[in-house]
Structure formats: structure tokens, C-alpha cells
Amino acid sequence: MGRGRAPCCEKVGLKKGSWTRAEDMKLVAYIQQHGHANWRALPKQAGLLRCGKSCRLRWINYLRPDIKRGNFTQDEEETIIRLHHLLGNKWSKIASHLPRRTDNEIKNIWNTHLKKRITHSNGSNSSSSENSNQHKAMSNLSSIEDLNILDSEQLNIDHSIMESDKEIMSTLSSPFGAIDGAKMIPVEPDFDIGDVFDDDEAWLAMEDTTIGDQVEMSGGTEREKWIEDLERELGLWGSSDAGLQCDQQQNVQASCYFQTRPPSPFLC
DNA sequence: AATAGGCGCAACCGCCAAGAG
DNA sequence: TCTCTTGGCGGTTGCGCCTAT
């Protein structure tokens, strides 16, 4: 091989596209036990036919327990507008000021809603209170330096709910520890997560079922029951209300892991 | 009821920066 | 100092859902 940048991973034979529930479970279960020190090695060790980048993205943008899903509040939208005015398309920077929101989500909300709104308000010279508030917010912050004086109050940020990934994982990663009432995956010293998920007809049958599909699975073997229990605990079977409740309680529960693909608008 | 178009969002791609050797 | 690896970021795409006709 010549010099040059190596691909992030061996691309041949890797799966692309939407993640299945089974893949999500494998990823979460693996990170829950081992963390994500090495994204490149993770998919292989977790038994996933995915690129490390893909795993990382899935975790960061969807599976991470500290993600707030649902409609953006007006405060959040105004914060995004303000920060975008100062920072431009620095989505990760903007996201860092919006706890529990992902850069991808912010980027999407900007591209689909806020950009149009701003364009509209600039073009139409509207006198709505919303536009007035936007203008007021922006006029208060006229330069990048102003970011230094931004505090929680100005940005409508509740820092009490800011939690680092590490902190959260510290409560989740103990092999036999509890996740606030959630069942834990039984971990053997030489536990191979792939062994749990593989070679099981019921599991394989489910593997092609994408997130959000309603799946009915009656108990069979102990392992099936365990997976079923895990799914329930992870919220795969739960109503969206469960997720909302979780969010409201600020609890890090496994049921936060798998929010069923939410209808629009998001419920959790 | 069927369908075309628009919209929202998850996921991919390519580039860059930092760190290790 | 240079090369390579890895994680991270921002732009973009494509699929599925929703709505209007």
C-alpha cells in the first residue's frame, strides 16, 4: 500500500443505511459495558458490521441517554439564532450551549426551520413580536467577543442538567450495576456480546425489523425472555410517554436509550 | 383513494486537526 | 519533523412520512 490516508475502516462488506433495533441494542450494550474508547475497533468487538464512524454517529445523535428529543422550545430556537449569528455554522459550538441537543439536530432545525424564518423576517420586514425578539437578541450580541459574556441566563441554559457522557456512562457501565431499575445485561468475564444476540432464530427474525416497527414477540427460551425484558427496559416496547416521563424526571434510565422512532413532532 | 410534491431527519461523505509513534 | 491514525465536524443526500390536490 502506498502512502496516504487510510480509509476509516474496511468498507467492504459493511452495512449502510438505517440502523436496526438489533444493531442499536448491540451498540448500546457494548458501550454500556466497555465504553467507547476506540470507535474504530468498536464495531468489530461489538459484532456490528458497521463503520466505526457510523457507530459513533449513531451513538452521539440518537442512542446516547442524555439526548433531549422533541420540539425545540422557543427559547432554544432563539438561542440557536443568537449563536448562529455569532458563530455561523459551528454546529458543535452551538450545541455545546444547548445541553442535551446534538449538533446534527441543531443543524437540521436550522436548515429546515430557522434559516427560512430568518430569511422571511429579513425580507418581509415583519413587525411580529417574534421577529422583534430575534432582533433584540441579536442586537445585544454584536460580535464574537460577546460570546464570552454569555451566561446561562442569557442563553436560557439550565446547567444543572448538563451532564457529560462520561458521567452518565459511569452510572451505566458497571457490568452488574443497576440502571435505576433497569435490568442489566449479565456479563461474564469473557462475555462476548455477539454470543447473546447471534444464533437465535427469534432474534434473527427480529433483526430485519427497523426501529419504530411494532414487533410482537412472545417469550420462548430464557435468552428470548431476557432479550424481551431488555427491550422493555430499554423502552423499545414502551409508549412515548415513558420517554417523556424519563425526560421530565431527569433520570438516566435505560428506557431513554431506545426512543421509538418518534412521530413528528417528537414526543420524547 | 391515489398520487405527486414538499418536508424533516437520520445517516453518509470528505475534510481537518490533534495526537501518537 | 514527518507520517499515520483517529475522532470530530460540517455539508449533503436520500428515504420515509405528511399534506394537498
Side-chain angles (χ1 to χ4, degrees):
Chain A
M1 280 287 280
R3 292 183 184 178
R5 183 184 172 80
C8 75
C9 50
E10 180 54 59
K11 304 226 177 203
V12 179
L14 291 185
K15 199 179 165 202
K16 289 166 72 173
S18 296
W19 281 64
T20 64
R21 288 150 43 105
E23 287 175 315
D24 282 345
M25 287 183 72
K26 282 185 182 182
L27 180 58
V28 168
Y30 182 86
I31 292 177
Q32 192 175 304
Q33 295 165 58
H34 305 287
H36 49 71
N38 188 340
W39 286 113
R40 184 184 170 86
L42 188 149
K44 192 173 182 181
Q45 292 168 358
L48 288 163
L49 289 172
R50 291 278 181 175
C51 167
K53 273 188 167 185
S54 183
C55 294
R56 176 185 162 272
L57 216 61
R58 184 65 179 169
W59 172 256
I60 295 289
N61 289 331
Y62 204 84
L63 298 175
R64 222 172 43 173
D66 61 330
I67 291 176
K68 177 183 177 185
R69 305 197 70 82
N71 290 336
F72 279 69
T73 65
Q74 191 173 347
D75 284 345
E76 285 176 317
E77 289 183 354
E78 287 177 8
T79 300
I80 293 169
I81 291 167
R82 272 179 254 166
L83 291 172
H84 186 270
H85 181 67
L86 295 174
L87 299 167
N89 295 355
K90 302 292 181 186
W91 306 117
S92 62
K93 294 271 195 305
I94 294 172
S96 69
H97 287 89
L98 286 160
R100 305 169 70 217
R101 295 291 190 182
T102 69
D103 53 358
N104 205 39
E105 199 177 12
I106 291 170
K107 181 170 57 182
N108 282 335
I109 203 77
W110 173 265
N111 287 330
T112 55
H113 294 291
L114 303 181
K115 186 163 70 177
K116 292 173 190 170
R117 191 192 298 175
I118 293 296
T119 306
H120 244 82
S121 66
N122 287 343
S124 64
N125 210 5
S126 167
S127 60
S128 70
S129 61
E130 189 181 16
N131 290 336
S132 170
N133 287 338
Q134 284 172 12
H135 179 76
K136 195 164 65 179
M138 288 181 180
S139 63
N140 286 340
L141 300 167
S142 59
S143 70
I144 192 71
E145 285 76 18
D146 288 334
L147 198 59
N148 294 329
I149 64 166
L150 292 177
D151 59 22
S152 303
E153 200 174 342
Q154 285 173 297
L155 293 172
N156 306 304
I157 292 170
D158 180 4
H159 282 281
S160 67
I161 60 172
M162 289 187 77
E163 298 167 300
S164 71
D165 211 22
K166 196 174 179 180
E167 286 171 331
I168 290 164
M169 290 312 299
S170 71
T171 68
L172 299 174
S173 58
S174 172
F176 294 98
I179 310 180
D180 281 344
K183 281 189 176 59
M184 293 298 298
I185 295 168
V187 180
E188 300 297 333
D190 56 345
F191 176 77
D192 182 356
I193 190 68
D195 293 342
V196 174
F197 295 93
D198 292 336
D199 197 29
D200 185 309
E201 285 185 14
W203 175 254
L204 290 175
M206 191 179 73
E207 204 158 31
D208 289 328
T209 307
T210 53
I211 297 167
D213 289 343
Q214 296 295 319
V215 176
E216 279 215 306
M217 217 171 110
S218 57
T221 65
E222 279 301 306
R223 185 166 54 191
E224 277 179 326
K225 285 179 180 174
W226 174 75
I227 292 173
E228 188 176 329
D229 283 342
L230 179 62
E231 280 194 311
R232 289 186 191 282
E233 292 298 344
L234 293 176
L236 282 170
W237 293 40
S239 67
S240 51
D241 287 341
L244 181 62
Q245 193 177 14
C246 159
D247 188 46
Q248 287 169 339
Q249 292 174 350
Q250 297 295 318
N251 282 342
V252 179
Q253 294 186 346
S255 56
C256 293
Y257 272 120
F258 296 102
Q259 293 126 354
T260 55
R261 190 187 177 101
S264 185
F266 294 129
L267 292 170
C268 180

